[in-house]
Amino acid sequence: MTSKKNNEPNKPEETTSQPITSDASTPETSNTESTASVSADEPTVTVTPTTPPPAAAAKKEDKKPSQKLSILAIIIALLGTGGVAFQLQQQNSQYQAQIAALQNQLQQTQSAMSTELNQVKQETVAKATEVTHKAEVVLAQQQKSIESLQLAMADVKGRRPNDWLLAEADYLVKLAGRKLFLEHDVVSATSLMESADQRIAALNDPSLVPLRKAMAKDITDLKTIPLIDRDGLVLRLTALQQQVDQLPLANAILPEAKTVEKQQVSDDINNWQNNLMASLKAFSENFITFRTRDGNVIPLLSPEQHFYLKENIKAKIETAIKAVYQEQGEVYTTSLTTAEAWSQAFFNQDNNTVKEFTQSLKQLSEQKIQVQYPVKLQTQNQLADVIRERLRREVTSMTSTEAQQ
């Protein structure tokens, strides 16, 4: 099998070699003829023809397909190398993308971990602060309870027979302050302060003289406050409010008529016509009187308006009653002034009841209901300082005796 395949390409070479030899012989004859003709006239020059051997030509023809195959192989190798390089580049880009994704994920994980760590740290600090604050509060409460127990023990051990008078005076002064500032009851506050002064005087302690001076000043200030009979004012306003329904309304208000001079009968006979007309007119006035009035006529109120008028006056008086207890002087004065103006405008001023009602409203509107009270009692702070100082001394003496024991 191999011998046949190897011999088949050699057959064309044998066929081609024969024409080559024939062709090669023809030039030799032509050359010999040319040389023969030239040699007759000129000196002879021998030319030897160079014909390639048949083996070299066959080798050249064999090299052409091998070159094509080598070029084709090189191209295939280059294409394969390029494909491999492209594939490697694609894989490299994929690897780079995966590496970038992993780095991004790593950064996110690190940021999340740092955030969680910070949050846990803050929560831990907050819990620690809260626990510390609670512990401080508990310690402060315990310290206060210990101090209160020490004061109670000192009060029990070092109590003297007259100390209850000082405590009672302190209670009376505090009660007087509440009566004054919360209820504005000056009379009760003054009585309570005088009772407290009597308790301090019963102690007969010279060190309490500054306290008694402050107490005397507070009592004097309380007595200078003007006393307002608020209950009496309210009762008078209530009586006026109940009287509104009985007040008569005014009639229609007409403008004043013009004054007409009466004609007098003269003694002159020539004026008999004027005298006759004057006599007839004077005689007719005894039966019918005509008066001319120029101006606006204020009509009577309708029953519905009359009802609204009375209810509005009652409402104004009720507002004044509330202002008495709340010590709103401006509201009190404005309400009564408005009620007085309505009474003068719509009620019959010729009636004695209306006159008395209007006069009472005017007097009550001039009444002052606001009072300037003192801001605080000086006795309270001084008395509290005295009690605190005595307790401190007793606690100090008690602790010193316990330390010596």
Side-chain angles (χ1 to χ4, degrees), residues 45-102:
V45 178
T46 58
V47 178
T48 58
T50 58
T51 57
K59 287 180 180 180
K60 288 181 180 180
E61 290 180 358
D62 291 337
K63 287 180 180 180
K64 290 180 180 180
S66 62
Q67 289 178 356
K68 292 179 180 180
L69 290 174
S70 62
I71 292 169
L72 181 61
I74 291 170
I75 292 171
I76 292 171
L78 291 174
L79 291 174
T81 305
V84 172
F86 179 74
Q87 187 175 4
L88 290 175
Q89 186 177 3
Q90 292 293 328
Q91 290 180 355
N92 189 14
S93 62
Q94 291 179 0
Y95 292 155
Q96 292 294 332
Q98 291 178 359
I99 291 170
L102 290 174

Side-chain angles (χ1 to χ4, degrees), residues 251-317:
N251 295 324
I253 300 175
L254 301 176
E256 295 182 358
K258 295 181 180 179
T259 57
V260 179
E261 295 181 358
K262 293 183 179 181
Q263 294 181 357
Q264 300 293 332
V265 178
S266 64
D267 295 334
D268 191 1
I269 299 175
N270 295 325
N271 293 332
W272 63 272
Q273 293 180 352
N274 294 331
N275 293 333
L276 180 61
M277 291 298 296
S279 299
L280 291 175
K281 189 174 182 180
F283 179 76
S284 63
E285 285 180 355
N286 294 326
F287 300 97
I288 301 172
T289 303
F290 295 95
R291 291 187 180 90
T292 303
R293 300 175 185 270
D294 295 331
N296 296 325
V297 178
I298 300 176
L300 293 173
L301 294 176
S302 64
E304 184 178 359
Q305 291 175 342
H306 186 195
F307 173 76
Y308 289 150
L309 172 64
K310 292 182 178 180
E311 292 299 323
N312 287 330
I313 293 176
K314 290 180 182 179
K316 289 296 181 182
I317 296 175

Side-chain angles (χ1 to χ4, degrees), residues 1-16 62:
M1 296 292 290
T2 56
S3 62
K4 288 181 180 181
K5 290 180 180 180
N6 293 327
N7 293 327
E8 286 177 357
N10 295 326
K11 290 180 180 180
E13 293 178 359
E14 293 177 356
T15 56
T16 55
D62 291 337

Side-chain angles (χ1 to χ4, degrees), residues 211-266:
L211 178 62
R212 293 199 65 190
K213 286 183 179 179
M215 192 171 292
K217 185 178 183 305
D218 288 337
I219 293 172
T220 304
D221 293 339
L222 290 176
K223 288 183 177 181
T224 56
I225 296 175
L227 298 178
I228 298 175
D229 187 9
R230 302 185 188 280
D231 294 335
L233 286 175
V234 171
L235 291 175
R236 291 181 64 184
L237 290 172
T238 304
L240 292 176
Q241 190 179 25
Q242 294 174 355
Q243 193 179 3
V244 172
D245 293 331
Q246 301 174 2
L247 298 177
L249 285 174
N251 295 324
I253 300 175
L254 301 176
E256 295 182 358
K258 295 181 180 179
T259 57
V260 179
E261 295 181 358
K262 293 183 179 181
Q263 294 181 357
Q264 300 293 332
V265 178
S266 64

Side-chain angles (χ1 to χ4, degrees), residues 157-229:
K157 290 183 178 180
R159 183 175 296 173
R160 291 179 294 181
N162 293 331
D163 286 345
W164 64 273
L165 293 174
L166 192 63
E168 188 175 356
D170 182 48
Y171 170 74
L172 292 174
V173 170
K174 290 180 180 178
L175 188 60
R178 292 175 183 174
K179 283 286 184 180
L180 179 63
F181 301 128
L182 298 179
E183 301 178 10
H184 292 172
D185 189 356
V186 181
V187 177
S188 299
T190 305
S191 300
L192 290 171
M193 290 295 295
E194 290 176 349
S195 299
D197 185 48
Q198 292 176 3
R199 302 298 190 279
I200 299 297
L203 290 173
N204 196 15
D205 190 352
S207 63
L208 299 178
V209 173
L211 178 62
R212 293 199 65 190
K213 286 183 179 179
M215 192 171 292
K217 185 178 183 305
D218 288 337
I219 293 172
T220 304
D221 293 339
L222 290 176
K223 288 183 177 181
T224 56
I225 296 175
L227 298 178
I228 298 175
D229 187 9

